[in-house]
Amino acid sequence: MKVFIVFLGILMVSVSAMVYQGDLGAYGHEQLLLKEAAEECAAGAALFLDEDAYSKGLVVFNYEQGETYIKNYLAYIKRNSKALSKGIIRYKTEFEDENKGYSPSNREKTPAVTVEIKVSTEDLFRGPFVEVTSLERRARYELPEEKQKSFFYAGDS
């Protein structure tokens, strides 16, 4: 009888460890997917520039097109994620450019887009000892600086 009780204890601990390991793998996948989504949303929103301001030499983002891109991308990526498809998604976008200004931490005055995504969902772990009901990721995309390059040719002195 003692062997049977010990066997049941070891079996329960092993099954709990396997379930936790599987849930942890799914949680890692959700975090990776949300990281990818935040980075893609920030980079995609930074692609839309106001053409009139750009023709005058200013870097100003097109805010409406950027927001539309983020909404469409989050709707597209929902099908690959359990947390995104069953949860409530909130996102916040911050544009830093010539029109809206720059944050105090952006001393170089580099145009940038920051996207923060928060997802509230059901518990991602089945075990009673771990409870995760929200995911959060933030990504920032800065436009690269244009530097003047000088080229020296072998024939020039």
Side-chain angles (χ1 to χ4, degrees), residues 66 95 112:
F95 292 95

Side-chain angles (χ1 to χ4, degrees), residues 78-142:
K78 269 186 173 184
R79 62 188 172 108
N80 294 329
S81 169
K82 176 185 172 187
L84 290 175
S85 64
K86 293 184 179 178
I88 299 169
I89 303 170
R90 290 183 303 277
Y91 69 91
K92 180 179 157 188
T93 309
E94 296 174 7
F95 292 95
E96 295 181 26
D97 57 12
E98 302 286 334
N99 190 21
K100 287 203 172 184
Y102 299 97
S103 68
S105 62
N106 190 354
R107 293 189 180 125
E108 293 83 24
K109 302 213 182 307
T110 306
V113 178
T114 305
V115 176
E116 183 176 349
I117 301 173
K118 294 180 181 180
V119 179
S120 300
T121 184
E122 61 189 25
D123 192 10
L124 296 173
F125 288 87
R126 290 174 278 186
F129 44 88
V130 178
E131 184 177 347
V132 176
T133 58
S134 67
L135 300 169
E136 183 175 331
R137 279 298 196 169
R138 181 180 183 148
R140 178 181 175 93
Y141 186 81
E142 296 179 352

Side-chain angles (χ1 to χ4, degrees), residues 54-85:
Y54 192 71
S55 68
K56 296 173 186 170
L58 300 173
V59 177
V60 176
F61 296 108
N62 189 327
Y63 312 120
E64 294 82 24
Q65 286 183 340
E67 291 285 337
T68 302
Y69 178 82
I70 292 171
K71 287 178 188 174
N72 291 340
Y73 187 78
L74 289 175
Y76 166 73
I77 204 165
K78 269 186 173 184
R79 62 188 172 108
N80 294 329
S81 169
K82 176 185 172 187
L84 290 175
S85 64

